[in-house]
Amino acid sequence: MLRLTDIQLPLDHADDAIGAAICAKLGIGATSLRGYTVFRRGYDARKRGAIKLIYTLDVDVMDEVALLARHTEDRHVQPTPDTGYRFVAQAPDALEHRPIVIGTGPCGLFAGLLLAQMGYRPIILDRGKAVRERTVDTWGLWRKRDLNPESNVQFGEGGAGTFSDGKLYSQISDPLHHGRKVLVEFVKAGAPDEILYVSKPHIGTFRLVTMVENMRATIESLGGEIRFTSRVDDVLVENDANGERHVRGVTLASGEQLRADHVVLAIGHSARDTFEMLHERGVYMEAKPFSIGFRVEHPQSIIDRARFGPQAGHPLLGAADYKLVHHGKNGRSVYSFCMCPGGTVVAATSEPGRVVTNGMSQYSRNERNANAAVVVGVEPSDFAPYDNSGSPLAGIALQRHWESRAFELGGGTYEAPAQLVGDFLANRPSHEFGSVQPSYKPGVRLGDLASALPDYAIHAIREALPAFDRQIKGFAMHDAIFTGVETRTSSPLRIKRNERFQSLNTRGLYPAGEGAGYAGGILSAAVDGIRVAEAVALQINAST
């Protein structure tokens, strides 16, 4: 087959326009075209009112070799590449110790799935509950202000991505087609087929719940074992005759010890007590940059009109998103993060006495408001006022400080502090809502967010808002709502690993995903889980 790229057609093209475009591109008659499939469909919205669809097509034609020879100088006509996934290994007949995966977020799920598919029968541990029980606990905070520190937006089956927009796109390099493997497995688990070809696929929370359950069932059918409410409180490490450190298993909160020579750490970016335990055990890690800020809400209709103009509301376009960045005069970068079209702002804390925000959308993206984080980058050099020990955990101290401050400003009831964007820009407290009603549950308390973040962050965000308004008209509208605070944009540390995906100083320990500082989002975390599972399989086979 041939792959044709950059086939451009009007948004409302006729059903037969794709076939006609293929024939025109290749210079063939309709009888020479046997068929085609859409590999990717995106859009170009730079000209509002004249939005184009951009197709990548896999085409079955007669005389393929001759056509390729005729188009050797055209980079948009190439042989269709093989995007199928191939397993790197199969488990040996005798496996002394089963590998352990800690965490059932996207990274842990895919590490466990791949190990199970290769026959290694992994043991997968999660401190939280199965996804439906976890959903009940999560709603307990949102509706009743009742936080379960072990089962919430951050902890439990599916990880933090379960309560999100379910975005499945990333900027990672993927020459081995691991990302395609992720999408194919998601479709098998119940995701809509369109995630295989739309340019910015998403799933939404409700669908993710069922998909996660189906993936669990697949892993168990292949001999894997998944244990919930099984927090890992210690890793067992011993030194060999050469003084090299090796992992030998884990100790659960129950006191049970599990023996293993290969342990995947897919613990997510909020497992702070686990980070502390690993640091105490001497596992090498470093502080790393992350970002902090607020969630902003606008009417989705304003974003749609600003991005799509008169074609706003077209079913192929859906709810519009955006991606914004501003480099401030004080040297800080301000940018939009985790934009959720037609979604809601959610309570995402995992620790008592703290307030954390995140964004979530359903597959339909049909809620009234758009929301996104507006965040400012922080560096390890910013951590000293909160922890001047030089510890790699110092970023956690910064996060906790501002999460506690948000809890205080919200009244100490898990309500979040909020302010109208117009009042934030004018440096005055807010006292009543305008046209935008906040979606955050259990509720917000209006006031002044000037003391909710460091001064450098407040100044940078105030400078960025007019710049963002020039890109999206209405972004700095007076009635838009800021809700604070967003602190869990990424892990505040990196558990460094070598080229074999193992900890720099603890053999057999495989830091992976967002918590270890190697991913940012569902797709990249899942891909990292696949890569780490491959490394585990190759290492097991090399040692048997």
Side-chain angles (χ1 to χ4, degrees):
M1 297 185 76
L2 301 181
R3 174 157 293 175
L4 274 57
T5 58
D6 197 35
I7 300 297
Q8 302 187 19
L9 292 170
L11 183 59
D12 286 310
H13 65 73
D15 291 342
D16 61 355
I18 295 179
I22 293 170
C23 293
K25 177 68 175 177
L26 297 176
I28 60 175
T31 56
S32 296
L33 175 61
R34 295 193 181 105
Y36 67 87
T37 58
V38 177
F39 182 79
R40 180 77 70 240
R41 187 190 71 210
Y43 59 79
D44 182 349
R46 288 175 294 180
K47 293 183 179 180
R48 296 189 308 161
I51 297 173
K52 296 178 180 178
L53 295 178
I54 313 295
Y55 287 97
T56 297
L57 306 167
D58 288 329
V59 179
D60 183 12
V61 293
M62 298 172 61
D63 298 324
E64 178 181 311
V65 173
L67 282 172
L68 271 176
R70 193 190 308 168
H71 293 84
T72 54
E73 302 300 319
D74 190 342
R75 61 186 178 88
H76 296 299
V77 180
Q78 299 291 330
T80 297
D82 181 0
T83 57
Y85 179 79
R86 291 174 176 79
F87 295 105
V88 300
Q90 289 294 321
D93 293 334
L95 189 61
E96 185 176 3
H97 300 296
R98 298 160 69 183
I100 288 175
V101 177
I102 305 174
T104 61
C107 181
L109 272 178
F110 272 88
L113 177 65
L114 263 290
L115 287 169
Q117 288 175 334
M118 291 185 286
Y120 292 91
R121 301 185 302 112
I123 299 172
I124 307 172
L125 308 170
D126 198 290
R127 66 192 298 164
K129 299 179 183 179
V131 67
R132 292 192 186 271
E133 297 174 71
R134 173 198 179 196
T135 300
V136 172
D137 292 334
T138 299
W139 279 98
L141 173 62
W142 296 352
R143 290 175 173 170
K144 302 177 182 178
R145 308 167 197 254
D146 182 14
L147 172 67
N148 183 337
E150 296 294 325
S151 180
N152 47 62
V153 165
Q154 306 296 346
F155 300 144
E157 186 179 22
T162 303
F163 299 97
S164 72
D165 186 50
K167 297 178 184 66
L168 297 178
Y169 45 95
S170 172
Q171 295 179 341
I172 58 173
S173 175
D174 188 27
L176 299 179
H177 309 298
H178 291 120
R180 188 71 176 177
K181 168 71 169 171
V182 171
L183 298 180
V184 168
E185 292 295 342
F186 274 151
V187 170
K188 289 180 182 177
D193 288 345
E194 71 176 36
I195 71 168
L196 294 172
Y197 62 85
V198 296
S199 61
K200 293 182 178 181
H202 73 283
I203 299 175
T205 291
F206 288 166
R207 290 188 180 224
L208 278 165
V209 167
T210 301
M211 289 163 52
V212 165
E213 289 180 319
N214 290 339
M215 291 182 68
R216 182 211 315 165
T218 298
I219 292 169
E220 291 173 336
S221 73
L222 295 170
E225 178 183 351
I226 301 180
R227 300 191 189 184
F228 299 110
T229 62
S230 298
R231 189 181 70 235
V232 173
D233 277 0
D234 203 358
V235 290
L236 308 176
V237 179
E238 66 179 33
N239 292 346
D240 65 15
N242 298 320
E244 286 191 339
R245 291 161 47 95
H246 292 255
V247 70
R248 293 302 183 218
V250 301
T251 301
L252 304 183
S254 64
E256 181 183 3
Q257 291 190 342
L258 299 176
R259 178 77 169 85
D261 294 324
H262 303 85
V263 176
V264 177
L265 285 173
I267 54 179
H269 59 40
S270 293
R272 293 166 171 173
D273 49 1
T274 308
F275 292 147
E276 291 165 356
M277 176 272 290
L278 293 168
H279 183 52
E280 290 174 2
R281 291 292 169 266
V283 175
Y284 184 80
M285 58 184 69
E286 294 178 348
K288 75 174 235 336
F290 58 100
S291 298
I292 56 176
F294 305 129
R295 277 272 151 186
V296 66
E297 291 188 85
H298 301 88
Q300 181 64 49
S301 58
I302 285 181
I303 307 301
D304 291 344
R305 286 196 300 270
R307 292 279 284 114
F308 298 147
Q311 291 172 298
H314 193 286
L316 288 184
L317 298 175
D321 62 3
Y322 57 78
K323 188 174 184 180
L324 303 169
V325 64
H326 175 75
H327 302 290
K329 294 176 182 177
N330 65 359
R332 303 282 174 171
S333 291
V334 184
Y335 62 98
S336 62
F337 172 79
C338 188
M339 196 272 161
C340 296
T344 56
V345 180
V346 300
T349 187
S350 56
E351 294 182 332
R354 298 191 168 97
V355 164
V356 181
T357 65
N358 197 6
M360 184 180 85
S361 295
Q362 299 301 340
Y363 175 72
S364 61
R365 289 177 167 175
N366 63 359
E367 298 292 336
R368 179 181 301 176
N369 291 351
N371 77 80
V374 175
V375 294
V376 180
V378 293
E379 300 286 335
S381 58
D382 296 314
F383 302 165
Y386 313 94
D387 181 346
N388 62 6
S389 67
S391 166
L393 305 175
I396 296 174
L398 182 153
Q399 290 175 322
R400 282 175 166 160
H401 174 88
W402 294 109
E403 292 167 11
S404 297
R405 177 60 175 156
F407 185 78
E408 176 186 348
L409 290 171
T413 63
Y414 293 107
E415 288 189 351
Q419 187 175 14
L420 274 63
V421 165
D423 291 332
F424 176 81
L425 286 169
N427 196 17
R428 61 177 178 245
S430 293
H431 300 290
E432 60 182 4
F433 299 114
S435 60
V436 181
Q437 294 295 309
S439 60
Y440 180 92
K441 303 296 182 185
V444 304
R445 175 171 290 198
L446 283 175
D448 190 349
L449 290 177
S451 64
L453 289 177
D455 287 345
Y456 57 77
I458 296 296
H459 294 323
I461 293 172
R462 282 189 176 136
E463 179 187 319
L465 287 171
F468 291 167
D469 195 74
R470 289 191 289 272
Q471 297 179 63
I472 296 181
K473 186 174 177 56
F475 196 91
M477 64 181 288
H478 180 274
D479 289 357
I481 296 285
F482 267 148
T483 305
V485 289
E486 180 106 357
T487 53
R488 312 276 182 100
T489 53
S490 67
S491 180
L493 56 85
R494 177 170 287 113
I495 307 174
K496 297 200 73 174
R497 64 193 187 192
N498 59 25
E499 68 280 358
R500 298 184 302 278
F501 293 87
Q502 298 183 53
S503 162
L504 287 186
N505 69 341
T506 308
R507 292 186 62 182
L509 191 65
Y510 295 81
E514 286 207 46
Y518 289 98
I522 293 174
L523 184 63
S524 62
V527 166
D528 202 55
I530 293 175
R531 291 170 175 166
V532 168
E534 292 173 340
V536 169
L538 292 171
Q539 184 62 37
I540 289 175
N541 286 21
S543 59
T544 56

